[in-house]
Amino acid sequence: MKLLQDRIIADGNVKSGNVLKVDNFLNHQMDIELFNEIGKEFKQIFSECSINKILTIEASGIGIACITAQYFNAPVVFAKKAQSINIDGDVYSTKIESFTHKKTYDVIVSKKFLCPEDRVLIIDDFLANGCALAGLIDIVRSAGATVEGIGIVIEKGFQNGGDMIRNMGVRLESLAIIESMDAERGTIEFR
Ligand code: 5GP
């Protein structure tokens, strides 16, 4: 998606440790006009799928998921990061290791909001090592629901999450795939 690539080049900041900061339009301040274009693009890509629910994870996936959901006329469910002691039998839960915080979280979705009839589009802002997506897929499958597809805004193609998720046989579409980036030179190359 050219508009997105141009914005990443203009406003993205490459940090050490393979982290791309896009605080100015995606992760802190949110550019809703851009989000609208992203939502439209996901709708076009997954137009032939019958999707009745959007699933994301708190916190930074929520904004993108909500704007995208308007194009699918579907509700958004976001997986919550929880304390293990709060986990009871009314939730689906999984463990996710955070790429940016290097911590492992328990993540939960209430059983009230996912059922076997659901055809789910998973949406997230970034794909790095794929832990977040693997956890969300696990939750959908625990509910007996179907993952129709996954829409990612920025995939870091030089990390292994994309291959791992595609090898699971799930349809994964990323609007921008970064082939390489260099913190010292501040350069970003797309696939
Ligand atoms: P994964 O589970 O694929 O390793 O990491 C995905 C999650 O980590 C995303 O939901 C996102 O919040 C965060 N993340 C991973 N890499 C980056 C990055 O380079 N920049 C930002 N801002 N977030 C990232």
Side-chain angles (χ1 to χ4, degrees):
M1 187 181 175
K2 171 105 175 46
L3 183 70
L4 175 63
Q5 289 192 355
D6 289 348
R7 192 61 184 272
I8 294 168
I9 294 292
D11 288 333
N13 231 316
V14 185
K15 301 284 179 193
S16 60
N18 283 336
V19 172
L20 176 66
K21 274 219 139 193
V22 282
D23 274 14
N24 140 316
F25 62 93
L26 184 62
N27 287 140
H28 196 14
Q29 175 168 260
M30 296 185 280
D31 181 335
I32 300 305
E33 267 181 46
L34 177 66
F35 277 30
N36 256 319
E37 295 306 315
I38 288 171
K40 267 188 233 169
E41 191 78 11
F42 281 138
K43 177 63 191 177
Q44 210 188 328
I45 291 171
F46 293 103
S47 58
E48 81 288 5
C49 303
S50 58
I51 286 159
N52 74 319
K53 202 156 278 183
I54 308 267
L55 177 68
T56 189
I57 180 166
E58 68 175 351
S60 49
I62 296 176
I64 288 285
C66 289
I67 301 284
T68 299
Q70 297 184 99
Y71 292 95
F72 288 88
N73 296 315
V76 174
V77 175
F78 65 90
K80 293 186 171 198
K81 292 168 184 163
Q83 302 290 338
S84 308
I85 48 175
N86 290 338
I87 297 179
D88 59 29
D90 299 331
V91 297
Y92 300 109
S93 74
T94 193
K95 286 194 189 298
I96 291 180
E97 190 188 333
S98 157
F99 175 79
T100 37
H101 300 109
K102 309 281 178 244
K103 274 204 294 192
T104 300
Y105 296 93
D106 286 296
V107 168
I108 59 159
V109 171
S110 168
K111 288 186 177 174
K112 282 187 288 192
F113 304 128
L114 267 185
C115 64
E117 292 72 40
D118 282 332
R119 306 173 77 93
V120 179
L121 175 65
I122 296 175
I123 293 285
D124 206 3
D125 58 342
F126 268 92
L127 171 57
N129 292 326
C131 271
L133 287 186
L136 293 176
I137 292 169
D138 181 43
I139 282 181
V140 173
R141 290 183 173 166
S142 302
T146 308
V147 179
E148 282 289 321
I150 300 177
I152 293 292
V153 180
I154 303 174
E155 175 178 341
K156 292 186 290 179
F158 53 88
Q159 293 184 254
N160 61 9
D163 286 345
M164 194 253 286
I165 299 296
R166 290 184 180 97
N167 286 339
M168 292 170 79
V170 180
R171 181 175 174 197
L172 164 65
E173 303 282 354
S174 301
L175 301 187
I177 303 183
I178 296 177
E179 185 65 46
S180 64
M181 58 188 205
D182 186 303
E184 264 172 40
R185 286 181 288 148
T187 51
I188 300 170
E189 306 274 352
F190 293 98
R191 188 170 289 177

